[in-house]
Amino acid sequence: MISQPAQKYRRFDAIQLPDRQWPNVVLDKAPIWMSTDLRDGNQALIDPMSVDTKMRFFLALVDMGFKEIEVGFPSASETDFNFVRRLIEENRIPDDVTIEVLTQAREDLIARTVESLKGAKRAILHMYNPIAPAFREIVYRTDKAGVKEIAERGTRWVKEMTAKQPETEWFYQYSPETFSSAEIEFAKEVCDAVTAIWQPTPDHKMIINLPATVEMATPNTYADQVEWMHRHLNNRDSIILSVHPHNDRGTAVAAAELAVMAGADRVEGCLFGNGERTGNVDLITLAMNLYSQGIHPGVDFTQMDQIRQLFEETTQLPVHPRHPYAGELVFTAFSGSHQDAIKKGLAVQKADDYWQVPYLPIDPADVNRSYDAVVRVNSQSGKGGVSFLLQQHAGFELPRRLQIEFSKVVQKVSDSSGREINADNIATLFDKEYVQVNSPYQYMGSHIVDEESHQVLSHVVVKYQQQRIELKGQGNGPLDAVAKAISEHIGETVTVADYHEHGMSAGSDATAVSYVEVKVGEHATVFGVGQDQNITTSAIKALLNGVNRFINGTNPEIVENVAAG
Ligand code: KIV
Ligand code: ZN
């Protein structure tokens, strides 16, 4: 980069439109969409699509609900010519879909283009010619009158040649190419001249398309240009005003949205923003932005993952994992505070209420994404994410303090590996750490006797140092009785500081899960978790597991006592 960019680059001269109306417009309906994936998008590929690939993409676009599809540039490419022929001859175009083809304003090219469409029920013939100063001066070495004449002459040829194929219902689209950098009054002059020749009517409109062939300025500037044209074009009631934003400054989506606010009726773009250089405007983001505001876009991206796969296979281009609404990671939270908020939001979100889950602009289920992908755990994650995955994946509903305790266990593992931990690993870790802690006491069986005096006698058989022993105790309830029995065995008071339980799964496989927070002497509490078909047994197992964890992990003295028997 140079130190004085002003010596090399000029600021874009915005047009004057002090009474602009677009900032006050609220979008309340979708524009007409035109997918140019098979033309502009295809022209930008390293390996352009074959006829078969184009057919696959076309049928997918139809399935998504696109009603206008630019299918190629038949005068420039034999593949495109053949593809248009196949679409027509194999009767692949649904009655409510109109195909569009592009041509330059040359007689032979228009003739070849019209020929490609022979037999089509309906078609949009799209002619363009560059009109901006750089093109006039450098590329065509002509003046304003010269480029205007190209547009007029081309339109006359289109009119004459299409009239000779009356079996097709023809629509005409004209693009003053490089509109974004052309003098605005001149753009209007050329478009008016073209309109005067074509003579559209309110019942049979023509399309005037205003391409930001190269995105030159901030989106508000493009919106001003579009509003100016919207207000000044002749025969506005006979024109469908279309925009075609490219993304050179990375603001094509905003430019398209503001352009529609400024009066555009139609938007041309590509899926995932494919297209020359930095691409055309991304139709998926545009449509989903509307959807997230409660406006149905009229196209359907429910099968987002399949659409992404189709796109990647047909274009050989990867979709960025953070691509809005569609990327692999866009509904995923790694950070602990985000996970916590999402988990709480999902828990209270009701199916028939407005969507209000923190950090998720739309419900991932609307684009067929499961909630599994919403929360992923790495060293940045906290208790919310860990317990959410454990609940989704293994059905455990941890009490809050256990969530905190277990998330530290998970964090330690992910910190030392430096990697993400998936739901399977989290469930295994939980099982090992809290449920299958079979030493020094391994549960083998129990017998609980409820005495009339409201005292309970417990007989718990455990495997201890390779031997089968019986722990006997008496207490206010089964857990209290077992705690007393263990207290006696380890020589320290064991009490139950907290207890939670819930059922898991339905039918004959139903089990109970118990979470016991155990306090041994004056030491900090530890958790144990038990699972069994019998609720009392699951509680006893949880207590033993808590004691085992305490002995194994925290207190060498007790370990010695226990070892001494
Ligand atoms: O970007 C552009 O100007 C074009 C035209 C052909 C409409 O693609
Ligand atoms: Zn383009």
Side-chain angles (χ1 to χ4, degrees), residues 39-40 43 102 126 128 173 175-178 209 211-214 244 246 268 280:
R39 197 279 294 170
D40 212 331
Q43 282 185 285
L102 182 70
H126 176 192
Y128 76 99
Q173 169 169 337
S175 292
E177 206 205 14
T178 60
N209 182 47
T213 306
V214 177
H244 177 109
H246 277 269
E268 300 190 351
N280 288 74

Side-chain angles (χ1 to χ4, degrees), residues 164-458:
K164 290 184 190 147
Q165 271 174 222
E167 70 276 16
T168 300
E169 184 183 2
W170 294 100
F171 294 86
Y172 182 45
Q173 169 169 337
Y174 172 68
S175 292
E177 206 205 14
T178 60
F179 163 80
S180 46
S181 53
E183 304 90 334
I184 193 111
E185 286 87 358
F186 181 55
K188 167 186 153 53
E189 188 182 325
V190 177
C191 290
D192 285 345
V194 164
T195 314
I197 295 167
W198 190 258
Q199 297 201 330
T201 64
D203 292 336
H204 207 275
K205 299 183 185 194
M206 74 167 280
I207 302 164
I208 293 286
N209 182 47
L210 306 178
T213 306
V214 177
E215 188 174 46
M216 301 297 288
T218 48
N220 59 308
T221 300
Y222 186 54
D224 279 353
Q225 292 170 309
V226 172
E227 182 171 325
W228 192 94
M229 291 293 276
H230 168 58
R231 284 160 54 175
H232 289 86
L233 275 176
N234 291 346
N235 302 311
R236 179 64 185 90
D237 63 348
S238 301
I239 287 169
I240 293 169
L241 192 60
S242 175
V243 289
H244 177 109
H246 277 269
N247 193 38
D248 298 82
R249 297 168 51 92
T251 56
V253 166
E257 289 176 330
L258 301 194
V260 175
M261 289 160 64
D265 309 300
R266 179 179 186 268
V267 177
E268 300 190 351
C270 292
L271 302 188
F272 302 105
N274 182 34
E276 289 284 14
R277 308 179 307 282
T278 50
N280 288 74
V281 69
D282 171 25
L283 294 180
I284 292 183
T285 304
L286 278 179
M288 294 307 295
N289 281 355
L290 282 177
Y291 181 78
S292 73
Q293 302 293 303
I295 301 163
H296 200 288
V299 277
D300 189 348
F301 299 123
T302 305
Q303 303 304 331
M304 192 68 92
D305 285 347
Q306 276 156 259
I307 294 168
R308 192 180 65 191
Q309 193 183 343
L310 161 103
F311 176 84
E312 291 185 332
E313 285 172 11
T314 51
T315 62
Q316 305 291 313
L317 290 173
V319 171
H320 197 283
R322 303 217 180 268
H323 192 98
Y325 303 106
E328 192 203 329
L329 294 179
V330 296
F331 297 113
T332 300
F334 284 104
S335 117
S337 60
H338 289 210
Q339 291 178 341
D340 213 37
I342 290 173
K343 181 176 169 253
K344 287 177 181 150
L346 287 174
V348 298
Q349 179 66 44
K350 295 201 178 71
D352 50 0
D353 264 358
Y354 282 119
W355 180 253
Q356 198 180 220
V357 175
Y359 298 114
L360 294 179
I362 63 160
D363 183 351
D366 290 354
V367 285
N368 242 352
R369 295 283 287 266
S370 78
Y371 295 118
D372 273 5
V374 169
V375 169
R376 287 170 58 173
V377 168
N378 63 14
S379 58
Q380 301 296 309
S381 312
K383 67 178 187 343
V386 171
S387 55
F388 177 82
L389 283 189
L390 196 60
Q391 182 179 353
Q392 296 282 308
H393 207 75
F396 291 102
E397 294 165 22
L398 309 196
R400 191 180 143 73
R401 280 217 295 273
L402 178 54
Q403 292 181 15
I404 297 168
E405 195 189 293
F406 180 49
S407 74
K408 288 183 187 145
V409 175
V410 174
Q411 202 160 30
K412 225 176 175 177
V413 173
S414 61
D415 259 340
S416 66
S417 71
R419 318 271 309 246
E420 179 188 355
I421 303 197
N422 67 24
D424 264 345
N425 298 149
I426 288 174
T428 307
L429 200 58
F430 184 76
D431 199 52
K432 259 181 149 165
E433 180 71 30
Y434 293 97
V435 188
Q436 308 294 340
V437 201
N438 293 324
S439 157
Y441 298 105
Q442 183 177 0
Y443 178 88
M444 301 197 70
S446 57
H447 180 59
I448 305 291
V449 184
D450 220 338
E451 299 264 278
E452 267 183 19
S453 58
H454 299 299
Q455 284 287 298
V456 169
L457 295 178
S458 72

